[in-house]
Amino acid sequence: QKRIPTWFKQQLKQKREWKPNEIVRFHDDTNEIQYGIYHPDSLHQLRLTASGHGIPIGTPWSTNEWELDAEFTKVATWGTKAPQHHTAAIRGAQYETFPPNEGWVTSRGDPIKLTDLTIRRMTLLFTNKTGPPSCQKKWDHILRSQIEWKKVWRTLQNAFANPYDTKTWFRLIHRGLRLNSNDKSIADKTCRLCQTTRESHAHLLTCSRLNELRRLVLKLLKDHLLRRRRPPEALRGQDLPRGELLANLQLAGSGVRSAPHAARRRCQRIA
């Protein structure tokens, strides 16, 4: 008994409480296992369907003379969705089923049911621990600006981009493109386009060999997407200053990722 945890002993000493509308298990007059919905002073018998949901049947029984702790057994259910006039799916007595649906907590201490653990919920539970990606702090340092990252991440959803475009833009944001500067097998770190500056993610935003492509994409945006808005200063056609393509909301993702296919073919001819 010394090896039994104290918290477990305390759980055994707790008195069971029977709540209204609680599903319970009991034995009928023929000693058959039955399920019912407990109400104060009454019990409504359930008929189980093939899917495990219960349907109230018959007339409620009076429980005034019943000793509830001796007659009833706690029941484990699963989920909350059920057909109309049905109860949640019944798994059986709590002491016969594992794992229980209730009684779990997250790493933050918030109570949670196993049936609430969707893929989205589990992803948020595991990813929120790490905080924002390290690329955000790096870009803020390089561009010497506080970028509105919520708006930048929103650009990953764009009707003008195919999966290849989105993947490239995602890698650029995370500084994960394979460039000469981060390829250890290449000794020459010079940009393969302009042949004058060290090839890096920040340099891609201001490389002179990409100026014509930027002007073409920005012209397409001005003519077709930004008609109702006053275009930013960068739409006049001059070379973009360092980092403006990423820091400006209207330009974020437009020149690198979401260019229409015609602009991308034009880029191949320029390069």
Side-chain angles (χ1 to χ4, degrees):
Q1 294 183 354
K2 294 182 179 180
R3 297 182 179 180
I4 301 177
T6 304
W7 66 267
F8 187 78
K9 294 180 181 180
Q10 294 176 352
Q11 290 289 335
L12 295 176
K13 294 179 181 179
Q14 289 184 358
K15 186 178 179 180
R16 289 186 295 178
E17 297 181 358
W18 306 100
K19 302 177 182 179
N21 298 322
E22 181 179 355
I23 301 176
V24 297
R25 194 179 83 167
F26 65 98
H27 289 80
D28 59 14
D29 296 338
T30 61
N31 205 29
E32 294 289 335
I33 295 177
Q34 303 291 345
Y35 295 92
I37 300 178
Y38 170 73
H39 300 283
D41 302 329
S42 66
L43 178 69
H44 206 154
Q45 186 179 358
L46 296 174
R47 177 175 62 83
L48 298 187
T49 64
S51 59
H53 298 282
I55 305 176
I57 60 173
T59 304
W61 301 338
S62 176
T63 58
N64 290 328
E65 299 180 358
W66 289 24
E67 187 178 348
L68 301 184
D69 289 345
E71 297 285 349
F72 291 164
T73 302
K74 290 284 185 177
V75 170
T77 59
W78 190 258
T80 56
K81 295 182 179 180
Q84 189 176 8
H85 305 303
H86 289 59
T87 66
I90 298 174
R91 304 173 62 195
Q94 287 186 354
Y95 67 86
E96 296 177 343
T97 57
F98 184 85
N101 185 35
E102 300 179 351
W104 303 92
V105 293
T106 65
S107 57
R108 300 178 178 178
D110 301 327
I112 190 173
K113 297 180 180 180
L114 293 184
T115 49
D116 295 335
L117 284 178
T118 60
I119 294 178
R120 176 180 175 82
R121 186 74 178 273
M122 288 188 291
T123 302
L124 291 175
L125 289 174
F126 284 105
T127 55
N128 285 348
K129 297 180 181 179
T130 60
S134 58
C135 63
Q136 295 187 188
K137 185 177 181 180
K138 187 66 175 179
W139 277 118
D140 290 340
H141 175 73
I142 294 175
L143 303 179
R144 299 174 184 176
S145 173
Q146 293 295 326
I147 301 173
E148 297 185 54
W149 283 103
K150 288 185 178 180
K151 297 179 180 180
V152 173
W153 295 120
R154 200 178 301 162
T155 61
L156 290 172
Q157 299 178 354
N158 191 290
F160 290 92
N162 59 25
Y164 182 83
D165 296 329
T166 303
K167 184 177 181 180
T168 303
W169 174 235
F170 182 83
R171 287 183 174 179
L172 176 62
I173 297 177
H174 282 276
R175 300 173 52 80
L177 294 176
R178 186 173 182 179
L179 305 175
N180 286 346
S181 58
N182 55 29
D183 192 343
K184 296 182 180 180
S185 62
I186 299 178
D188 186 8
K189 307 300 182 181
T190 307
C191 176
R192 285 166 285 182
L193 293 176
C194 64
Q195 300 294 328
T196 58
T197 310
R198 182 176 181 272
E199 186 175 288
S200 64
H201 292 86
H203 173 67
L204 291 179
L205 305 179
T206 57
C207 181
S208 59
R209 289 295 303 274
L210 296 177
N211 285 340
E212 185 175 349
L213 171 64
R214 295 191 190 96
R215 295 189 186 97
L216 174 62
V217 174
L218 294 175
K219 184 177 184 302
L220 290 173
L221 291 174
K222 178 181 178 181
D223 295 341
H224 300 286
L225 299 180
L226 303 177
R227 291 180 178 179
R228 298 181 182 180
R229 297 181 180 181
R230 181 181 179 182
E233 296 297 328
L235 293 180
R236 296 180 178 178
Q238 73 275 19
D239 295 345
L240 297 179
R242 181 180 179 85
E244 185 174 346
L245 185 61
L246 185 62
N248 191 299
L249 169 62
Q250 286 185 302
L251 301 180
S254 60
V256 178
R257 179 188 63 89
S258 60
H261 302 300
R264 191 171 60 216
R265 291 195 297 267
R266 180 78 173 273
C267 173
Q268 295 174 354
R269 291 198 298 268
I270 295 173

